[in-house]
Amino acid sequence: MTQQNILLVNSSGRFEGSVTRQLSQLIVEQLKVGADNSNLVTRELTEGLPFINEEWIGATFTPVENRNQAQKHVLEFSDELVNELQLADTIVIASPIYNFSIPAVLKAWIDLTARAQLTFKYTENGPIGLIENKKIYVAIASGGVPIGSAMDFASPYLKQALGFIGLTDVTIVDASSINLAGDKNEKVAKAQIAELLEPVKSGEQESN
Ligand SMILES: Cc1cc2nc3c(=O)[nH]c(=O)nc-3n(C[C@H](O)[C@H](O)[C@H](O)COP(=O)(O)O)c2cc1C
């Protein structure tokens, strides 16, 4: 029996007509098809999350055993986000391109989850990620910037930042050609989305 713990991370500022929300939801549904049992945790980044600051950085640089109550408290939310990553088998990230890169809330989530000694550490051979054996799908959408082009600072950045903490098995599901909010025939958009789900389906077959 396969148990699938799925973490869905949403970062689009809009709900109505959001391509990345629809696509990531379909990815989640597809993942559930391949599992006997699944548990979904949704992290809605647009509900707001703090930026790291002096107290936060000071707390992370303090060894765990020396942290005072205030420092422990400052790290509580970050600990919660890291815990969600640790518990997940599969992580689905929904990321629009905003101003050539990822939404600021997603960057804030990365800042809060890249934690020295907890999600990465430096060794004599360089840094290594400590979050291992996860499958990542990134549903990414843009209004015109082609994914993988010189103007796309989102997908290479995400791969680098996720890989840094050990999340190296990343499949980018490129929805840059889909605009559900525009005048495109909805049927065409849905057919395109179905095509985009192919890597998710074949990923399941590979692991079976
Ligand atoms: C604030 C903002 C900034 C954007 N910046 C870009 C951009 O730099 N390049 C681009 O191709 N599309 C840009 N877009 C278009 C979005 O990437 C596109 O609408 C995408 O579908 C948004 O994701 P969503 O449908 O999940 O909300 C921007 C949209 C918004 C709202």
Side-chain angles (χ1 to χ4, degrees), residues 51-58 74:
F51 291 152
I52 58 172
N53 59 12
E54 183 149 20
E55 284 73 34
W56 189 93
I57 294 167
V74 154

Side-chain angles (χ1 to χ4, degrees), residues 83-118:
N83 192 248
E84 287 174 356
L85 281 177
Q86 287 166 334
L87 292 178
D89 301 303
T90 307
I91 300 154
V92 182
I93 298 175
S95 175
I97 289 195
Y98 282 171
N99 302 310
F100 305 99
S101 187
I102 60 171
V105 287
L106 187 53
K107 176 62 164 66
W109 178 79
I110 289 169
D111 288 345
L112 290 164
T113 52
R115 291 269 304 271
Q117 314 311 325
L118 189 60

Side-chain angles (χ1 to χ4, degrees), residues 16-19 21-27 29-30 173-175 177-199 201:
E16 186 79 33
S18 163
V19 174
R21 282 178 190 278
Q22 293 186 55
L23 181 54
S24 59
Q25 194 54 48
L26 288 169
I27 292 172
E29 280 162 27
Q30 189 59 51
V173 185
D174 173 359
S177 61
I178 295 175
N179 185 0
L180 292 176
D183 54 7
K184 183 164 276 199
N185 181 325
E186 211 184 311
K187 261 191 187 162
V188 175
K190 287 211 167 119
Q192 284 179 324
I193 286 181
E195 238 174 73
L196 294 174
L197 290 176
E198 285 306 320
K201 289 182 190 163

Side-chain angles (χ1 to χ4, degrees), residues 86 88-90 130-136 166-169:
Q86 287 166 334
D89 301 303
T90 307
L130 299 176
I131 309 267
E132 291 170 320
N133 301 322
K134 316 285 181 191
K135 175 71 208 160
I136 323 299
L167 304 174
T168 51
D169 187 359

